[in-house]
Amino acid sequence: MIMGIVMELLLRNIPNDYKLKNEYLDSNSHEIETLILGNSHSYYGLNPEYFYDRTYNASYVSQSLKYDLEILKKHENNFRRLKTIVLPISYFSLYSSLEDEAESWRIKNYTIYYGMKSYKSIRAHSELFSHEFSVNVKRIISHYLFDSSFVTSSYLGWGVNYSSGNATDLFESGNNAAKRHTKNIDSEKYKEIYNDNTSILEAIIQWCKGNDVRIITLIPPTFETYRDKLDPGQLEKSISTIQDVCLNYDNCKFFNLHSDLNFTAKDFYDADHLSEIGAEKLSRLINNAITEWHKGSKCDSSRSYGAW
């Protein structure tokens, strides 16, 4: 028991992205004007450095819509200057729940480091029980003996480790990711997840409406080797749902950049994630969209790129 307690404390004191993001939001949420939410497509695809307003990227790998909403609710009393939320929603987002995914071990990060509501599983409250013993030992040795870092985000929350210099094979990564992200959308399980996520999406937009915040939703750009392997039914259902929900609110704009040809191979780290080159391009695009919206320009949502 003593060894377990010591290991738990050692593991919790290793700096990680969740801890840093929560600490930043605790200290600076009152100054944030644009908040980025979402999963890894947001994390690697939107760099706050290219936004005019004070912007922070609170997205993360495998972060489902439920946790986007929880982040808003946790800090809602402090978002005094918040004007815009940017929420990329991927091909798989409406059919994904962190609790039902292979990376469900990540739930403990929201419980431990964000202080979100507790779950019954002991894994959701413990570093030690969320990974194999050997993995935990390696983490402790790497950090405390070799000073290894487990932080992959910039000070403003953007993921820095998907460099174009280390880009992966676009064909292999596209095929693998498409298989992993395609669900049996006609099954009862995924129908329920879809219904839950649609309700959460609407709750996020309603939260924005009630707090006088504008929200930009978008399908992020992907490379053709990923797009060509997707299930047309799941893709169309996702796009139409996001568009239909967004159209019900005057504080919401939707852009479909999924097949935008302005993003070419050099912009991607793998077939569904942007590199720092693509992230600059997407970030500047969304920043311009926000700027024009605040100026009162009209939006033609039928265009997929440069829609303002």
Side-chain angles (χ1 to χ4, degrees):
M1 285 182 63
I2 293 174
M3 183 178 71
I5 292 171
V6 170
M7 288 186 67
E8 181 72 28
L9 293 173
L10 289 173
L11 290 166
R12 290 192 182 201
N13 279 291
I14 296 174
N16 63 70
D17 294 307
Y18 295 92
K19 183 187 298 185
L20 294 182
K21 283 176 180 277
N22 183 61
E23 289 175 352
Y24 185 95
L25 289 171
D26 281 343
S27 301
N28 301 283
S29 54
H30 62 287
E31 297 181 348
I32 295 172
E33 296 172 303
T34 296
L35 181 69
I36 298 165
L37 297 171
N39 55 42
S40 58
H41 292 161
S42 305
Y43 184 56
Y44 295 111
L46 290 166
N47 187 346
E49 291 184 4
Y50 298 109
F51 288 74
Y52 295 149
D53 290 338
R54 179 153 186 176
T55 302
Y56 187 73
N57 190 328
S59 66
Y60 205 64
V61 177
S62 297
Q63 184 165 293
S64 54
L65 290 169
K66 171 182 177 178
Y67 294 96
D68 293 325
L69 179 58
E70 290 295 326
I71 288 172
L72 285 179
K73 291 164 64 177
K74 183 177 188 293
H75 297 280
E76 61 184 343
N77 294 327
N78 297 321
F79 285 130
R80 295 192 290 270
R81 298 182 61 186
L82 187 62
K83 297 187 293 184
T84 310
I85 284 177
V86 181
L87 178 61
I89 304 176
S90 309
Y91 162 73
F92 55 84
S93 293
L94 296 180
Y95 296 95
S96 296
S97 171
L98 187 56
E99 286 78 5
D100 295 296
E101 299 295 327
E103 297 195 354
S104 60
W105 58 267
R106 293 183 183 275
I107 293 172
K108 53 90 177 175
N109 293 312
Y110 296 96
T111 304
I112 296 173
Y113 303 111
Y114 273 98
M116 293 182 183
K117 71 175 186 178
S118 61
Y119 295 83
K120 294 181 180 179
S121 171
I122 191 173
R123 293 183 64 202
H125 300 268
S126 170
E127 284 279 8
L128 186 63
F129 293 110
S130 294
H131 300 282
E132 293 182 0
F133 182 79
S134 60
V135 172
N136 287 324
V137 170
K138 289 179 181 178
R139 291 169 65 199
I140 291 172
I141 292 174
S142 295
H143 176 69
Y144 290 101
L145 293 185
F146 298 102
D147 199 29
S148 298
S149 175
F150 294 89
V151 174
T152 64
S153 62
S154 69
Y155 175 69
L156 295 177
W158 173 62
V160 301
N161 59 328
Y162 273 16
S163 168
S164 57
N166 298 316
T168 64
D169 183 273
L170 293 178
F171 290 92
E172 182 178 358
S173 64
N175 185 60
N176 292 340
K179 288 181 179 179
R180 188 170 64 251
H181 295 161
T182 297
K183 312 296 183 182
N184 180 12
I185 64 173
D186 293 321
S187 69
E188 290 304 315
K189 172 183 176 180
Y190 287 106
K191 284 181 179 178
E192 182 177 352
I193 292 174
Y194 164 84
N195 289 332
D196 289 343
N197 280 324
T198 302
S199 296
I200 293 170
L201 173 59
E202 188 150 13
I204 292 173
I205 299 174
Q206 288 175 346
W207 183 94
C208 292
K209 181 73 172 177
N211 289 275
D212 196 24
V213 173
R214 294 173 173 180
I215 178 168
I216 290 179
T217 61
L218 63 130
I219 303 286
T222 57
F223 194 62
E224 59 186 310
T225 54
Y226 174 79
R227 297 195 305 266
D228 293 346
K229 298 291 185 179
L230 303 182
D231 174 64
Q234 181 176 329
L235 178 61
E236 177 56 33
K237 182 74 169 177
S238 296
I239 293 172
S240 62
T241 298
I242 301 165
Q243 189 169 31
D244 290 346
V245 171
C246 194
L247 283 173
N248 291 326
Y249 299 89
D250 59 5
N251 67 315
C252 182
K253 301 294 184 186
F254 169 67
F255 297 97
N256 180 8
L257 303 178
H258 181 69
S259 303
D260 198 297
L261 299 181
N262 288 278
F263 291 87
T264 60
K266 67 180 178 63
D267 296 314
F268 290 91
Y269 169 80
D270 59 30
D272 68 308
H273 291 96
L274 296 172
S275 67
E276 82 283 2
I277 299 172
E280 179 179 352
K281 183 182 290 187
L282 180 60
S283 300
R284 291 187 185 277
L285 169 64
I286 300 303
N287 174 68
N288 290 339
I290 292 170
T291 302
E292 292 301 318
W293 194 358
H294 288 313
K295 287 179 179 178
S297 298
K298 293 184 178 180
C299 166
D300 176 9
S301 60
S302 64
R303 296 171 60 191
S304 63
Y305 186 88
W308 296 88

